[in-house]
Amino acid sequence: MKNGICPYPGLRPFTEEESIFFKGRDLHIRQIVKLLEQNKMAFITGASGDGKSSMVYAGVVPYIRAGFSKAEFNSWLVFDFKPQRNPLASLARSAADELQFSYHDTLNKMRRGFSALVNIYKESEFYIKNGSDAKNRGKNLLIIADQFEEVFTMNENFHDGTPSIDAYTCVNILLETVRLSITENLPIYVIFTMRSDYISQCTVFKDLPEFIAYSQFFVPQLKRTEIRQVIEQPALLAGGSVSTRLTEVLINNLNSGFDQLPVLQHALNLLWKTADNGSKTLDLLHLAKIAGIHKDMLDNSERKEFDRWFATVPYYQKKYFDKPDLNNVLNAHAGTLFESAYDYFMHNANWAEKSITPDESKQIVETAFKTLTKIDNNRQVRNRATLHEITGIINKPNITEATVCGVLNIFRDENNTLLRPFAMHDNIETQYLSGDTILDVTHEALIRNWRLLSHWDHEELENLNEYNDFSSQMQRWIDNNRSPEFLLSTGNYAIFKQWYDRCRPNQYWLLKHDNSQRPVREKLNAAASRMEKCNDFMQQSNAAILAAEQSRRRKIAATIVALLIFIAGLLMFSLWAMSEKRNADLARKDAEKQKNAAIVQKTIAEQLNDIATQQQHRAEAANTIANQQRDSARLMYNQAIAAKLESDRARQQAEQARREADLARKNAEDNYLLAQQQRDSADLQRRKALEANDNAARLYYVALCNALSMKAKNQYEDKTLNLRLAKTACDMNHKGGGDNKKNADLYDAMLFAMEQNNIISPIDIQDSPVKSFAIDPAGHIVAISEDGLITKLRITPSGGAEPMSSPTPLGSADNKTPIESAVFITPTLVASSSKDRRSYLTDIATNTQAQIPGADDYIYAASSSPDGDRCAIAYINGRVIVMPTDITNANAAPLAETIFTSKVTDLYFHDDANIYVLCLDGNLLKWNFKTNSITNVLTPNSRQMTFKMAAIPAKKLLAVCYSDGTMQFVKLDNDQKANRIVGGHSKLENLIYDPNTGILALSSADKRISLINTNDVNEKPLVIEEHSLDNHKVKCMGFNNKGVLFALTDDNKLRLWDTDPGTYADALASMNLSPLSDSEWNHYLGREFSKK
Amino acid sequence: MFINLYNRKFTIFLAAVSDDMKDIRQELAEVLVNAGIGIADGKSLPSAQAKAAIQAADCSVHILGDEDIYTLGAIGYNSPAGEQFRIARKLCSEQFKMFVWCPYADTAARKSYINNIRRDIVENTVYSDKPSSIIFVEDIRNIMNVKQSENRRHVPTDIFFLYNELDNDTASGICNMLRDFLGVQKLGISMSSDVDYNAFISEQLADSKVGIVYFNYAGDWAVSFARQIWKDTGGSSSQTPLAVFGNSDHATQDDLAVLKDFMECNVDDQLRIPLDIKVFLDKQLQK
């Protein structure tokens, strides 16, 4: 099937072409077809949004076309109509188109009612009464009267409880057609679909109630199983899928009642697109992304993905995620389109002039949707309107029909389909609409679920109520010959002015609310006339109010002016009198003042005359002195000028000298720095050269060491030669500065040489095969044999072992049963199983023993708690128990126990509550024995097995060995994986960690032991090779407190090695071994390597 | 009959619950009895007997209580309610129906715990948060009364050949030619027949390697018919590929354009149609 076909149509009904995805109504479709076969008609009623239209177009029609119903002819002619504003005209247009007659003839014939439609069908080429090929050429006729409630909701069809003549005729024809089809057995079938809340109004049509009762189908609410089909089947048909959990969430979150299906279909449509057009399984994450559920419903990884995606969501869209819900999906979608309509318009409508602001874009959408909806008997319903009418209501010079169309296109876009007709991306004609195109809300579910639209509707209702009030006052004014007495009072005018400015009514707005049955043109003219009157009423009311106000103001002003004039006259007279008196007083005072002043001035003049004479004498003396001082100053000035010129010259010379000195100093400094740099560089080069020389020398010695090590691992007749070669290799390594601990070849060579000379040799422990051993704090070996005997051995200075006492039975002397397994929990505490499947805990120090109750299999592994009070014991059958280590309490029931499905190969008692459990199938589990919960810590990538693990407390790590030779480190503080290293070349079988040296010893199936330094796991490990184990496999291992590794091999011998190669190097140095002669040197290393 | 009489008798295993749900469990038990549903009581059954009782029942119902007993690793994990929940959940993979009911989620902790359960819903598990026990039991009865398809007479074959009775002559000719080397079941659709074609075709197609819709004169019918059976037999998820072949004397390729996104369709010379069908079959068998 072609990819990308969305099997969910969204808010619009399924079309006949989409019938292939229409599921959930199979039973109902068959029931309707049965009604049609029996009764020739089906009156389908149901609640708004329960899918009546989809059931007919995508269910019944394809079903009968496919031949699944009984009918006279093989083919079907289906025509449908919606009553709209003229049911008869709609029926006639549809019938004329399908039956191939002219519309006007058909309409004229239909105006006669009754058998008109049957006659037209009989006259058509599709009704063939007789003839051999009648069945082939003839066509059965199916008439679908869809949304029949429009007969009642459209005011043109039904007003004041009375149907229009055309509506009545239309119903008459349809009912007569059914009647004739029954009586004459004609292949004509009629389907009505109607909202059930209008059923009571059907009584206004004669006979219609009887026909409804005769063949009604009330669309049932979908059952849970059917809703599941609606959700899941279309996706399956289209090659996609829906997760079970999403289906369950959708079913449970779906509100019962109105709009169940449209809300669900719309959400599914968005889900499909969100899930990359069905290429992913539709799931909860996608529902969260369309604001259908809260992100808390998602798991952690999905929630992170959601958060990443949400950060990219535009700010205006985020508010819709505050209260996510299935019903909110449609609200969020419509709200987002409302917010982005402006951008869509600017980017897409290339044919429209773009001279609007974002706010105007929102106003266009608001006005359009207010126009396309109305409240009818307290129900929010659709109200079809043309683009021209909407543009008219907006009534702004810069907003044309093209602008309105462009802004609304986002709602008509084929991906959104919230408004009809839909705009197809690949068909420009559907994008640009003419003014007479009727726009319609796709489904009333949008009106009920888009909260903003609901709000607008209620606002519009308030506007209408205000208008009705206004209109009644205006009518009173008109009825009284437009008498000024009936104009609006100031208070009323203020109220209606507010409404007028808010609602901005015009003739198109009045037309929308005109419920009369007149033709639209007539109604528009009446609305224009009414609007003129409204404007006139408002203007005249305003003018009258203004005129009255002005008159009142004029009277007040005149009174105020007269009063002011009187007061001003009085004031002026008083001021004049006062002024005259004041002038007389002033004249008198002036005369006295002038007389006194004349006397004073005369006295002053006489005094001034005396002073002037004195000053004249002083001035003459001062003039003489000033002349003398001026001559002296002129002389000093000339001298100062000369001195200044001299000092300037000297200063310039000094500055020049200083600049030269600075330059010279700077040059000297630069030269000094350069010289220093050259000297440093030379030093560096010299040091590097020396270093390289040293390195070369060291490498030379190390190479000699390695070459000698290789030679030392050969078999020679003179076995001391191995020792001499190994010793020389040690010397070379020492000279080369090599670290013995890091030189695996040298370590192996030393071991080999010592083995050849029996300096290192295996130790026989006892006759009976040893099951297990441990090393006690004193360094003594405690071994347990298969026949249940404990032997304690001391290591002799020569490297041998000698028993410290004769073997004693494990536990009580009367317990002679051979043992199957023995595991040292601590060096002094052993968990063992006898062949007869009884299990014991034995304290080696006191050799006291207690039987563990409830054991039904052999013990395989055990581990002690960090405080030593408890231990965990694993049986071969996967059972793990937690016991006290106190022998006296061992008989009590286990502190905790559980059973693992896989065989448990090792345990690590980590802390007070947690035990790490290693399973043979490669899984590492963590058992919280207090809560009895198990978490998976490690799961192997492939089929790998695990046998042993060891904790490295100092590093807070746990090392787990795998059958492919690798070793995985796990962090104990968070159970996360750390390094994974190669521990050996084949299956890793045993593992032990020495806390004193930090060395991890790993034995592998290829009979080697690797010694890994846990302080640097990337360092090349020392290896105890096959020859050191005499080609035997290791059964178990142990470290003493001096870093000596003990290994029990399958030849029942104990081998030990010091893990510090320095010990062997010192031993070789202390031996009296002759150095290699020149000829030996040349023989084993070649002449090109100088011995010196 | 337009109403469902819900006459299938079945037994539901009523699982044990945590203490806080005991009253609700009792109420549910009474509603189930009133709805005519048999109850297998799992209140005090040990785990071994509980498993047998769940297996013996037709379905089970589990009421989610306050205790977090259904999640691995939680306290109370080993309670009877938790154990029975897990036993039933395992059986879901074997077409066993399990109903999980959560009548309320009043705290944030409980909502979070319920979210965990809802995230882990598996096939054949039905989750409901309807607060009314009656609505919940209605859902149970509806789901458990889904009509099973009747066994009709259909035989395994290579080609299931469908045509309109108008094209009976030419269709028979094609079938006769194909029958020489292939297994063919043919069905002519008659508009005046009482046969429930829909159900029969779905079952016979499932037993055929390919389905062929053929037409000579009945081109209009064939397009509608092919779309309808494509839908009824599972569409893209169907195991049996479908093709439409018609006589080029009475139709063009454009007439079948609406089908081309969903199935193979071709018009050809009448004589070449058997070969076209054979090629189509071979191509499907190679896939």
Side-chain angles (χ1 to χ4, degrees):
Chain A
M1 188 182 143
K2 187 176 153 187
N3 288 332
I5 294 179
C6 178
Y8 306 102
L11 210 54
R12 63 178 173 78
F14 279 87
T15 61
E16 192 178 340
E17 285 69 35
E18 290 162 341
S19 64
I20 47 174
F21 300 122
F22 182 69
K23 296 295 281 185
R25 292 280 190 193
D26 294 352
L27 175 66
H28 306 144
I29 291 164
R30 281 201 292 274
Q31 289 170 343
I32 292 169
V33 170
K34 211 162 189 82
L35 274 182
L36 284 176
E37 284 175 354
Q38 288 171 356
N39 303 340
K40 302 281 188 180
M41 74 164 277
F43 203 97
I44 302 172
T45 57
S48 169
D50 63 3
K52 295 180 288 296
S53 298
S54 293
M55 191 159 57
V56 172
Y57 289 106
V60 175
V61 173
Y63 191 85
I64 60 173
R65 278 196 203 273
F68 293 147
S69 68
K70 283 171 76 173
E72 184 170 346
F73 301 126
N74 249 311
S75 301
W76 285 81
L77 186 71
V78 179
F79 76 77
D80 63 322
F81 74 100
K82 292 185 176 74
Q84 299 189 358
R85 288 171 172 172
N86 189 329
L88 190 66
S90 298
L91 173 64
R93 187 176 300 282
S94 190
D97 287 350
E98 292 298 328
L99 294 167
Q100 298 172 10
F101 292 106
S102 89
Y103 164 62
H104 290 292
D105 285 351
T106 309
L107 182 60
N108 286 336
K109 285 178 184 172
M110 284 196 174
R111 289 200 187 283
R112 304 291 167 263
F114 292 99
S115 62
L117 184 55
V118 172
N119 294 340
I120 293 169
Y121 171 62
K122 283 181 176 174
E123 287 167 21
S124 77
E125 61 179 278
F126 303 111
Y127 178 68
I128 297 164
K129 184 83 177 150
N130 293 308
S132 57
D133 58 348
K135 205 168 177 65
N136 185 22
R137 283 178 45 226
K139 289 195 175 184
N140 311 305
L141 180 63
L142 175 65
I143 303 156
I144 302 168
D146 192 25
Q147 293 184 17
F148 192 67
E149 67 269 16
E150 285 180 356
V151 165
F152 305 106
T153 58
M154 295 283 168
N155 290 310
E156 293 87 343
N157 303 333
F158 192 77
H159 188 57
D160 289 341
T162 312
S164 69
I165 293 174
D166 281 352
Y168 200 90
T169 311
C170 174
V171 176
N172 166 275
I173 290 173
L174 291 172
L175 297 185
E176 189 66 13
T177 302
V178 175
R179 189 178 287 121
L180 290 171
S181 176
I182 296 166
T183 53
E184 295 180 20
N185 195 21
L186 297 171
I188 306 178
Y189 305 84
V190 182
I191 293 178
F192 297 83
T193 70
M194 190 184 79
R195 271 171 59 173
S196 50
D197 35 356
Y198 288 92
I199 205 146
S200 63
Q201 283 160 287
C202 291
T203 52
V204 298
F205 294 100
K206 204 176 172 203
D207 290 344
L208 183 56
E210 288 90 327
F211 273 87
I212 294 174
Y214 167 63
S215 193
Q216 187 190 6
F217 183 85
F218 200 118
V219 177
Q221 196 182 21
L222 290 179
K223 307 279 189 307
R224 196 177 174 110
T225 47
E226 290 157 346
I227 296 176
R228 178 177 285 278
Q229 285 181 10
V230 168
I231 295 168
E232 292 178 343
Q233 292 289 320
L236 285 173
L237 286 164
S241 61
V242 181
S243 72
T244 305
R245 61 185 189 168
L246 176 64
T247 305
E248 288 298 318
V249 166
L250 289 175
I251 291 174
N252 279 291
N253 292 7
L254 204 54
N255 290 338
S256 54
F258 276 167
D259 301 334
Q260 235 188 7
L261 279 176
V263 164
L264 179 63
Q265 279 293 349
H266 173 263
L268 286 166
N269 176 275
L270 292 189
L271 279 168
W272 179 268
K273 288 168 189 162
T274 310
D276 292 347
N277 285 322
S279 58
K280 293 176 181 163
T281 296
L282 276 60
D283 204 356
L284 296 181
L285 176 63
H286 306 121
L287 186 58
K289 283 185 179 179
I290 59 170
I293 50 165
H294 198 275
K295 67 173 184 176
D296 286 353
M297 279 282 294
L298 308 175
D299 64 28
N300 285 340
S301 64
E302 289 170 331
R303 208 172 299 165
K304 278 179 192 162
E305 190 182 337
F306 176 86
D307 287 339
R308 275 197 301 275
W309 168 84
F310 193 66
T312 65
V313 167
Y315 71 95
Y316 55 78
Q317 206 177 331
K318 289 189 173 170
K319 63 184 172 194
Y320 296 109
F321 287 78
D322 291 345
K323 290 179 182 171
D325 178 53
L326 195 53
N327 283 62
N328 177 56
V329 174
L330 182 51
N331 176 49
H333 184 203
T336 305
L337 297 185
F338 171 65
E339 300 280 1
S340 47
Y342 178 75
D343 288 341
Y344 184 92
F345 169 64
M346 297 304 277
H347 287 106
N348 293 291
N350 297 327
W351 31 264
E353 194 179 334
K354 291 167 180 170
S355 58
I356 58 164
T357 62
D359 282 344
E360 283 176 323
S361 153
K362 288 186 176 177
Q363 192 200 338
I364 290 170
V365 176
E366 179 181 339
T367 311
F369 275 96
K370 275 181 176 175
T371 311
L372 292 169
T373 54
K374 63 179 179 182
I375 294 185
D376 177 39
N377 289 333
N378 292 324
R379 283 179 299 215
Q380 291 173 298
V381 294
R382 291 188 271 214
N383 180 59
R384 293 192 184 91
T386 64
L387 186 61
H388 179 72
E389 288 167 352
I390 295 168
T391 312
I393 292 175
I394 295 166
N395 192 26
K396 277 193 167 184
N398 64 324
I399 298 177
T400 62
E401 287 170 0
T403 314
V404 175
C405 174
V407 171
L408 294 180
N409 268 5
I410 191 169
F411 293 92
R412 302 197 304 114
D413 188 292
E414 63 181 303
N415 284 330
N416 300 322
T417 65
L418 301 187
L419 275 186
R420 287 174 188 276
F422 306 130
M424 303 301 170
H425 295 162
D426 55 358
N427 186 352
I428 188 77
E429 286 176 14
T430 61
Q431 294 169 24
Y432 179 74
L433 302 177
S434 61
D436 57 356
T437 309
I438 293 174
L439 295 170
D440 189 11
V441 172
T442 306
H443 200 286
E444 284 175 5
L446 177 67
I447 306 173
R448 287 185 285 270
N449 288 280
W450 186 9
R451 287 167 209 150
L452 193 57
L453 181 51
S454 259
H455 168 73
W456 289 341
D457 273 346
H458 286 102
E459 205 174 72
E460 184 72 350
L461 184 64
E462 276 176 28
N463 281 336
L464 184 61
N465 289 337
E466 293 264 10
Y467 168 72
N468 288 336
D469 194 5
F470 174 81
S471 182
S472 64
Q473 299 215 29
M474 185 178 75
Q475 197 55 46
R476 206 160 46 236
W477 172 67
I478 293 168
D479 293 346
N480 287 279
N481 296 323
R482 305 193 176 209
S483 164
E485 290 168 17
F486 289 91
L487 287 170
L488 292 171
S489 65
T490 310
N492 279 343
Y493 177 79
I495 293 168
F496 289 125
K497 184 72 172 61
Q498 276 182 5
W499 159 75
Y500 204 79
D501 291 343
R502 189 178 67 237
C503 177
R504 302 176 65 242
N506 57 31
Q507 69 262 38
Y508 293 101
W509 189 82
L510 294 183
L511 176 69
K512 176 189 166 190
H513 297 291
D514 185 349
N515 294 335
S516 66
Q517 294 185 339
R518 290 172 292 176
V520 174
R521 175 54 53 192
E522 204 178 301
K523 288 202 311 189
L524 186 61
N525 290 337
S529 160
R530 188 81 177 160
M531 198 61 229
E532 223 169 79
K533 286 173 189 162
C534 289
N535 290 336
D536 200 18
F537 184 52
M538 282 297 281
Q539 279 167 8
Q540 289 206 33
S541 294
N542 188 25
I545 290 165
L546 283 176
E549 182 71 8
Q550 277 175 356
S551 166
R552 194 173 63 83
R553 279 182 189 167
R554 267 199 300 274
K555 282 177 188 167
I556 293 169
T559 311
I560 291 169
V561 167
L563 203 61
L564 283 173
I565 289 170
F566 175 74
I567 292 167
L570 203 63
L571 268 173
M572 283 171 70
F573 178 75
S574 303
L575 286 172
W576 176 78
M578 285 170 72
S579 163
E580 286 299 306
K581 184 177 175 282
R582 199 162 48 240
N583 287 341
D585 288 347
L586 283 173
R588 188 175 48 81
K589 282 181 186 166
D590 278 352
E592 282 179 6
K593 272 185 191 166
Q594 282 173 3
K595 183 185 152 200
N596 292 335
I599 294 168
V600 171
Q601 280 177 352
K602 182 182 164 215
T603 310
I604 292 168
E606 286 170 358
Q607 287 173 349
L608 284 172
N609 191 28
D610 292 345
I611 293 166
T613 308
Q614 286 172 6
Q615 282 183 341
Q616 189 190 354
H617 293 312
R618 282 184 197 148
E620 284 168 0
N623 189 29
T624 310
I625 294 166
N627 283 339
Q628 287 170 355
Q629 285 178 345
R630 190 191 62 201
D631 293 343
S632 171
R634 194 171 286 161
L635 186 65
M636 284 169 71
Y637 173 75
N638 289 338
Q639 285 172 349
I641 293 287
K644 180 175 174 294
L645 288 171
E646 186 62 26
S647 73
D648 282 351
R649 209 166 32 245
R651 186 174 48 78
Q652 282 169 359
Q653 283 172 353
E655 277 184 4
Q656 179 65 26
R658 186 179 54 77
R659 278 199 296 272
E660 285 171 4
D662 281 350
L663 193 65
R665 183 178 51 77
K666 197 166 178 303
N667 285 341
E669 279 175 0
D670 289 348
N671 288 336
Y672 175 73
L673 286 173
L674 195 64
Q676 265 190 338
Q677 280 171 1
Q678 285 173 350
R679 196 199 59 208
D680 290 348
S681 170
D683 280 351
L684 189 68
Q685 295 297 336
R686 186 171 53 75
R687 275 200 303 276
K688 280 184 180 172
L690 287 172
E691 220 170 88
N693 195 27
D694 285 351
N695 283 343
R698 271 199 298 275
L699 288 171
Y700 177 72
Y701 283 120
V702 172
L704 288 177
C705 164
N706 289 344
L708 287 163
S709 298
M710 296 308 290
K711 295 292 175 189
K713 285 193 273 186
N714 290 341
Q715 298 273 2
Y716 299 105
E717 201 171 317
D718 175 10
K719 302 215 182 282
T720 57
L721 185 56
N722 293 91
L723 291 171
R724 289 165 62 216
L725 284 166
K727 180 174 183 291
T728 312
C730 275
D731 291 345
M732 293 300 117
N733 196 44
H734 181 66
K735 279 185 181 175
D739 185 350
N740 287 341
K741 291 179 181 174
K742 294 182 179 175
N743 196 329
D745 289 332
L746 178 60
Y747 183 64
D748 187 34
M750 289 191 290
L751 292 183
F752 185 82
M754 291 198 171
E755 286 160 10
Q756 289 297 307
N757 292 277
N758 292 325
I759 299 168
I760 299 174
S761 56
I763 302 167
D764 287 321
I765 305 175
Q766 53 178 269
D767 295 337
S768 174
V770 173
K771 273 286 174 193
S772 185
F773 77 95
I775 298 157
D776 67 14
H780 300 141
I781 298 160
V782 183
I784 300 173
S785 64
E786 215 169 63
D787 51 10
L789 296 174
I790 308 172
T791 308
K792 207 163 187 178
L793 300 141
R794 181 189 299 118
I795 302 297
T796 62
S798 62
E802 61 184 19
M804 295 171 71
S805 59
S806 56
T808 53
L810 184 64
S812 58
D814 57 344
N815 178 20
K816 301 290 184 194
T817 314
I819 63 167
E820 176 62 30
S821 63
V823 181
F824 278 90
I825 299 168
T826 66
T828 57
L829 186 68
V830 175
S832 62
S833 296
S834 57
K835 291 279 188 191
D836 59 1
R837 295 180 190 271
R838 281 183 291 177
S839 297
Y840 303 91
L841 268 183
T842 308
D843 186 341
I844 301 285
T846 59
N847 203 19
T848 50
Q849 192 174 57
Q851 187 174 345
I852 302 170
D856 54 356
D857 210 333
Y858 302 124
I859 291 171
Y860 196 82
S863 176
S864 168
S865 62
D867 58 8
D869 288 347
R870 285 157 297 172
C871 63
I873 295 169
Y875 292 89
I876 283 179
N877 61 4
R879 179 167 170 255
V880 177
I881 61 170
V882 178
M883 298 279 299
T885 50
D886 182 0
I887 295 284
T888 54
N889 288 332
N891 293 325
L895 299 173
E897 71 170 289
T898 191
I899 291 184
F900 293 86
T901 50
S902 175
K903 178 178 172 182
V904 175
T905 55
D906 207 354
L907 296 171
Y908 170 58
F909 206 130
H910 177 49
D911 56 25
D912 204 33
N914 293 297
I915 294 169
Y916 285 88
V917 179
L918 190 65
C919 297
L920 188 64
D921 59 8
N923 283 308
L924 175 63
L925 307 169
K926 190 175 180 181
W927 175 40
N928 185 323
F929 60 85
K930 292 211 166 162
T931 62
N932 198 21
S933 63
I934 294 162
T935 47
N936 205 337
V937 180
L938 271 184
T939 303
N941 294 332
S942 57
R943 291 181 62 80
Q944 293 170 342
M945 292 190 290
T946 47
F947 298 95
K948 287 289 168 192
M949 61 180 171
I952 307 166
K955 305 271 177 198
K956 293 186 179 171
L957 289 173
L958 190 65
V960 179
C961 293
Y962 285 102
S963 54
D964 64 354
T966 59
M967 184 167 66
Q968 176 70 55
F969 289 101
V970 177
K971 293 176 186 170
L972 283 169
D973 46 5
N974 60 8
D975 291 343
Q976 297 296 308
K977 285 182 183 177
N979 296 7
R980 186 172 183 122
I981 62 168
V982 176
H985 300 293
S986 69
K987 183 171 74 179
L988 299 178
E989 293 179 332
N990 274 294
L991 170 69
I992 190 159
Y993 172 69
D994 181 15
N996 295 319
T997 59
I999 284 174
L1000 202 56
L1002 295 134
S1003 74
S1004 50
D1006 58 0
K1007 295 154 188 167
R1008 285 186 173 89
I1009 299 173
S1010 297
L1011 304 174
I1012 291 171
N1013 181 3
T1014 56
N1015 294 317
D1016 182 4
V1017 292
N1018 294 319
E1019 187 180 292
K1020 187 181 176 187
L1022 301 179
V1023 179
I1024 298 168
E1025 296 283 356
E1026 261 174 298
H1027 59 76
S1028 299
L1029 290 159
D1030 288 338
N1031 209 20
H1032 288 289
K1033 282 175 84 168
V1034 174
K1035 285 170 71 177
C1036 56
M1037 298 188 284
F1039 275 105
N1040 70 4
N1041 53 12
K1042 292 174 183 166
V1044 175
L1045 174 67
F1046 292 74
L1048 175 68
T1049 45
D1050 58 8
D1051 56 351
N1052 204 33
K1053 287 184 178 172
L1054 196 63
R1055 289 172 166 79
L1056 55 126
W1057 304 272
D1058 202 313
T1059 53
D1060 181 4
T1063 310
Y1064 295 118
D1066 291 346
L1068 284 171
S1070 66
M1071 288 179 197
N1072 190 16
L1073 297 168
S1074 57
L1076 292 178
S1077 65
D1078 289 349
S1079 61
E1080 284 174 326
W1081 179 274
N1082 291 338
H1083 177 73
Y1084 294 113
L1085 285 171
R1087 285 177 189 280
E1088 60 272 28
F1089 296 104
S1090 164
K1091 188 180 176 189
K1092 291 176 183 174
Chain B
M1 181 75 75
F2 282 17
I3 55 170
N4 195 336
L5 296 178
Y6 295 117
N7 44 15
R8 186 192 162 206
K9 297 292 173 198
F10 63 95
T11 303
I12 194 161
F13 179 83
L14 182 56
V17 293
S18 50
D19 287 346
D20 56 312
M21 285 289 146
K22 281 187 174 163
D23 292 343
I24 290 177
R25 185 181 187 277
Q26 181 57 35
E27 178 196 320
L28 179 65
E30 289 165 16
V31 174
L32 285 167
V33 169
N34 285 356
I37 298 169
I39 295 176
D41 195 344
K43 188 160 54 180
S44 51
L45 286 181
S47 63
Q49 289 177 31
K51 187 173 182 181
I54 293 170
Q55 280 174 323
D58 297 290
C59 56
S60 64
V61 61
H62 307 261
I63 307 170
L64 298 183
D66 266 343
E67 290 176 30
D68 189 359
I69 55 177
Y70 305 101
T71 312
L72 185 71
I75 295 168
Y77 179 67
N78 292 320
S79 71
E83 276 192 5
Q84 291 171 10
F85 183 87
R86 285 187 296 282
I87 292 168
R89 195 179 150 87
K90 275 185 186 171
L91 289 172
C92 281
S93 59
E94 301 161 21
Q95 300 303 313
F96 181 81
K97 279 262 184 283
M98 172 186 186
F99 294 90
V100 180
W101 188 33
C102 170
Y104 64 86
D106 49 358
T107 62
R110 185 164 161 80
K111 277 178 189 159
S112 166
Y113 147 55
I114 298 297
N115 280 346
N116 287 339
I117 296 282
R118 295 182 77 176
R119 269 200 296 274
D120 290 338
I121 289 286
V122 294
E123 197 68 22
N124 290 313
T125 309
V126 177
Y127 172 84
S128 176
D129 54 13
K130 302 285 180 226
S132 159
S133 55
I134 293 176
I135 295 177
F136 177 53
V137 172
E138 272 182 349
D139 280 346
I140 294 175
R141 201 166 64 160
N142 170 249
I143 290 166
M144 295 307 291
N145 267 275
V146 171
K147 201 175 171 186
Q148 302 299 311
S149 59
E150 294 164 19
N151 280 328
R152 295 178 180 81
R153 190 174 58 82
H154 50 88
V155 288
T157 185
D158 292 325
I159 296 170
F160 184 31
F161 192 86
L162 296 146
Y163 59 96
N164 192 298
E165 62 171 354
L166 285 178
D167 302 327
N168 195 30
D169 294 343
T170 48
S172 297
I174 292 171
C175 287
N176 289 341
M177 286 175 74
L178 290 170
R179 276 193 182 124
D180 289 345
F181 49 95
L182 290 169
V184 179
Q185 282 291 314
K186 68 169 186 168
L187 178 67
I189 306 296
S190 166
M191 293 283 178
S192 52
S193 167
D194 287 327
V195 174
D196 181 2
Y197 288 121
N198 209 312
F200 176 74
I201 290 169
S202 297
E203 287 168 18
Q204 178 61 59
L205 261 181
D207 249 353
S208 309
K209 287 174 184 159
V210 294
I212 302 294
V213 177
Y214 161 78
F215 67 91
N216 185 16
Y217 293 108
D220 286 350
W221 164 86
V223 171
S224 304
F225 179 77
R227 287 163 63 87
Q228 193 69 22
I229 59 171
W230 184 83
K231 176 175 88 166
D232 292 342
T233 54
S236 295
S237 60
S238 167
Q239 298 296 312
T240 310
L242 203 61
V244 179
F245 291 100
N247 186 344
S248 55
D249 289 345
H250 304 117
T252 66
Q253 199 66 36
D254 286 347
D255 294 334
L256 305 181
V258 292
L259 297 174
K260 70 178 189 320
D261 287 341
F262 308 104
M263 63 192 82
E264 177 141 339
C265 44
N266 194 21
V267 293
D268 207 343
D269 188 88
Q270 176 69 26
L271 293 173
R272 289 173 57 85
I273 289 176
L275 185 62
D276 291 343
I277 294 171
K278 175 72 171 65
V279 169
F280 173 68
L281 174 67
D282 290 344
K283 207 159 70 180
Q284 299 308 319
L285 293 178
Q286 277 169 14
K287 279 182 185 176

